[in-house]
Amino acid sequence: MTEEAQRVFDAIDALKQIADPTERARALGEVLKALPGQNKALKEARQEAVKELLARPGASLRSVGAELNISFSTVQDIAKGYSGSGKNRPKTEADDAR
């Protein structure tokens, strides 16, 4: 795990260790309330980073996938902005022909 990511998880762990239950509940509630918006922003930032990686000379879905330790299809999904299961993806003409 990267140092930056570990700091995020350390901060979450620190929230869970707040001694006063009222303060702990308030702090955790604040984070939980803000998470949905942050999730979207994080996905968008990751998508932009993946697009930057793919824009490098000689880059491919497979080379970027190997660099990030994810499959090439996941790289493709991220670059296209897909998340979750395939049922949320737009249908193609090939899908409509079935």
Side-chain angles (χ1 to χ4, degrees), residues 31-69:
V31 171
L32 288 168
K33 184 176 180 181
L35 273 180
Q38 288 299 318
N39 281 340
K40 182 179 181 190
L42 287 170
K43 286 179 183 180
E44 289 170 355
R46 180 181 64 173
Q47 180 183 18
E48 185 60 35
V50 166
K51 286 181 176 181
E52 287 177 37
L53 292 171
L54 288 169
R56 296 181 305 188
S60 68
L61 294 172
R62 289 189 190 281
S63 67
V64 171
E67 188 174 350
L68 299 176
N69 295 318

Side-chain angles (χ1 to χ4, degrees), residues 83-91:
S83 63
S85 69
K87 68 180 178 181
N88 298 327
R89 294 192 176 105
K91 290 189 180 275

Side-chain angles (χ1 to χ4, degrees), residues 3 10 31 36 41 81:
E3 183 180 332
D10 290 346
V31 171

Side-chain angles (χ1 to χ4, degrees), residues 19-34:
D20 180 86
T22 301
E23 290 303 312
R24 186 171 62 243
R26 284 184 186 150
L28 291 166
E30 289 170 359
V31 171
L32 288 168
K33 184 176 180 181

